[in-house]
């Protein structure tokens, strides 16, 4: 199978719209189960043509949020707007056409084992009452898009996990939705397959202008393809912004914790030597992004502040084409610490004193 096969399909390529066009708008959403508040006043927008990632730990409220979006849960209070239409008071019958505007990609694929790949992809159109010829033509277009044309007559049991998820994505696109909801779509996949699925979603977003909302607990998924990220914790949105800005300067403790798996951390052999009092060297954590990370920061620092300041760990990464870095510096306690901190802050860096070590690291 060639997973990189691309195909022109029926939809026109969209120009990126302005940020004022919202496909989803949530206003003060609340939903409780007994004494437990699953959602506690969530307000959020998903703009047309963007990829928004919603990230949080298990139990944070992600699943309840997605069920409120597709009308499977009714909020206790607040409003859910899909393409400017408030869905909270719609009957089940009136919700059906709206649900066709929302495609769903699931963690465990949810394919029907007794149906072929093309029948699985065409199923939403069959439910909608479309003629068989139209259904099969659309399925063929979408299987070509996801690189699985040769698997049209196969059954799900013969597919790999990545192939099953590609079928799930094709099925979610069958009815030409305005919004694609991805609910932990890569959590059951290995890293290489995850990368290929995320690349496919990014390609679909770019080529079709399709709005995508990603629900995940993995920061690497957010980093890979999202435009914006919203962090949910205990049913509340605790942080929101462009991905590179949130990565560069996380405001909440939960965001810093989630970033811990993919951002540089002080090596344990150095962290284990830190003490609160004075020592031979002070260890600084320096977060830089944008212009502060583009220039010769360390060489300028060495030229401006006397003393053997050393980089002991860290580096510069790129998120959304923006440099984002975390550096760990060792600064002699004998002098220059205050100057070093002042210099770094003046350059736009965020500086944290982690502690002191008795000897060189």
């Amino acid at each position: 199978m060639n997973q990189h096969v691309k195909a022109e399909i029926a939809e026109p390529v969209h120009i990126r719209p302005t940020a004022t066009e919202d496909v989803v708008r949530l206003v003060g959403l609340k939903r409780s189960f007994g004494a437990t508040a699953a959602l506690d006043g969530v307000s959020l927008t998903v703009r047309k043509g963007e990829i928004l990632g919603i990230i949080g730990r298990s139990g944070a409220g992600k699943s309840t949020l997605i069920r409120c979006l597709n009308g499977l849960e009714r909020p206790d209070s607040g409003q859910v707007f899909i393409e400017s239409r408030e869905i909270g008071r719609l009957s089940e019958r009136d919700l059906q056409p709206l649900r066709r505007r929302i495609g769903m990609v699931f963690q465990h694929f949810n394919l029907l084992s007794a149906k072929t790949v093309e029948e699985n992809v065409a199923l939403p159109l069959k439910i909608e009452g479309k003629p068989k010829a139209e259904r099969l033509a659309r399925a063929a277009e979408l299987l070509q898009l996801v690189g699985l044309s040769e698997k049209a007559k196969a059954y799900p049991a013969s597919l790999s996990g990545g192939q099953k998820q590609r079928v799930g994505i094709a099925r979610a696109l069958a009815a030409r939705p305005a919004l694609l909801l991805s609910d932990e779509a890569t959590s059951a996949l290995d890293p290489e397959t995850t990368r290929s699925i995320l690349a496919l979603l990014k390609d679909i977003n770019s080529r079709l202008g399709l709005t995508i909302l990603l629900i995940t607990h993995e920061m690497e998924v957010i980093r890979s393809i999202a435009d914006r990220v919203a962090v949910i914790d205990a049913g509340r949105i605790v942080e929101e912004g462009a991905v590179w800005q949130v990565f560069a300067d996380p405001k909440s403790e939960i965001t810093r914790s989630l970033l811990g798996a993919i951002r540089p951390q002080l090596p344990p052999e150095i962290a284990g030597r830190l003490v609160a009092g004075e020592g031979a060297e002070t260890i600084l954590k320096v977060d830089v992004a944008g212009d502060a990370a583009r220039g010769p920061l360390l060489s300028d620092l060495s030229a401006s502040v006397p003393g053997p300041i050393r980089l002991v760990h860290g580096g510069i990464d790129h998120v959304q084409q923006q440099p984002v870095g975390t550096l760990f510096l060792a600064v002699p306690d004998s002098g220059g610490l205050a100057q070093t901190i002042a210099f770094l802050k003046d350059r736009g860096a965020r500086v944290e004193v982690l502690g002191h070590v008795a000897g060189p690291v």
Side-chain angles (χ1 to χ4, degrees):
M1 180 198 73
N2 181 4
Q3 292 189 342
H4 302 289
V5 172
K6 301 287 194 283
E8 295 300 327
I9 66 174
E11 295 91 340
V13 175
H14 297 278
I15 298 172
R16 283 275 180 175
T18 64
T20 58
E21 297 179 84
D22 298 332
V23 174
V24 176
R25 185 163 62 93
L26 308 179
V27 182
L29 213 60
K30 292 188 177 185
R31 182 71 171 103
S32 295
F33 300 95
T36 303
L39 298 176
D40 190 12
V42 170
S43 294
L44 192 68
T45 61
V46 187
R47 300 162 188 158
K48 187 174 181 181
E50 79 168 342
I51 302 178
L52 173 67
I54 297 181
I55 188 167
R57 293 172 174 153
S58 296
K62 305 189 300 295
S63 296
T64 303
L65 178 60
I66 212 167
R67 288 174 65 83
C68 287
L69 277 171
N70 59 25
L72 295 177
E73 288 281 354
R74 300 280 184 167
D76 299 325
S77 62
Q79 296 172 299
V80 178
F81 293 89
I82 305 293
E83 294 187 300
S84 300
R85 189 177 185 187
E86 208 281 305
I87 71 171
R89 295 179 178 84
L90 295 182
S91 66
E92 186 64 26
R93 181 176 179 177
D94 290 336
L95 273 172
Q96 292 309 311
L98 181 137
R99 286 190 180 127
R100 288 195 286 271
R101 300 291 292 158
I102 302 174
M104 283 287 302
V105 184
F106 303 95
Q107 178 180 358
H108 296 295
F109 322 129
N110 289 11
L111 302 180
L112 298 180
S113 60
K115 291 187 178 295
T116 65
V117 164
E118 68 178 359
E119 288 171 339
N120 269 279
V121 174
L123 185 60
L125 300 179
K126 184 176 182 179
I127 294 171
E128 196 176 341
K130 298 295 184 182
K132 183 176 181 179
E134 180 180 339
R135 300 197 307 262
L136 294 181
R138 178 64 174 161
E141 290 174 349
L142 291 169
L143 288 174
Q144 190 175 5
L145 174 70
V146 302
L148 287 179
S149 293
E150 75 280 10
K151 298 291 185 180
K153 303 299 183 181
Y155 286 88
S158 69
L159 305 181
S160 68
Q163 290 171 334
K164 289 177 183 177
Q165 196 56 284
R166 286 171 178 267
V167 175
I169 292 170
R171 179 185 58 191
L173 298 175
R176 294 179 171 84
L179 173 67
L180 185 66
L181 297 180
S182 171
D183 187 8
E184 301 279 9
T186 59
S187 295
L189 305 175
D190 62 74
E192 182 179 358
T193 305
T194 291
R195 287 190 291 272
S196 73
I197 293 298
L198 293 177
L200 176 62
L201 289 174
K202 185 68 174 179
D203 181 64
I204 289 168
N205 164 259
S206 177
R207 297 173 68 216
L208 305 182
L210 180 65
T211 306
I212 301 177
L213 192 153
L214 293 167
I215 301 290
T216 184
H217 66 276
E218 299 173 289
M219 257 311 176
E220 184 57 42
V221 171
I222 300 293
R223 178 193 183 281
S224 297
I225 66 169
D227 300 312
R228 287 193 303 129
V229 58
V231 182
I232 188 169
D233 187 43
R236 297 182 179 182
I237 302 296
V238 297
E239 190 158 358
E240 182 185 353
V243 171
W244 79 270
Q245 292 175 327
V246 172
F247 272 55
D249 188 16
K251 305 297 185 185
S252 70
E253 181 57 39
I254 180 63
T255 308
R256 289 190 287 271
S257 176
L258 291 167
L259 282 169
I262 62 172
R263 292 292 304 277
Q265 303 296 311
L266 190 65
E269 60 269 24
I270 301 177
R273 295 173 55 190
L274 292 177
V275 296
E278 293 184 358
E281 293 179 313
T282 298
I283 304 299
L284 301 180
K285 179 184 179 185
V286 181
D287 290 311
V288 291
D291 291 341
R294 289 191 181 93
L297 181 67
L298 295 183
S299 59
D300 287 353
L301 174 62
S302 297
S304 301
V305 180
I309 299 169
R310 297 181 298 112
L311 173 67
V312 297
H313 190 61
I316 303 294
D317 196 1
H318 281 76
V319 181
Q320 292 183 307
Q321 292 79 52
Q322 292 286 342
V324 176
T326 298
L327 311 174
F328 296 93
L329 305 181
V331 183
D333 277 9
S334 56
L337 178 60
Q339 287 176 272
T340 298
I341 293 174
F343 175 92
L344 292 169
K345 288 185 175 180
D346 186 61
R347 288 295 184 94
R350 184 160 55 87
V351 184
E352 180 183 355
V353 176
L354 298 182
H356 307 267
V357 290
V361 294

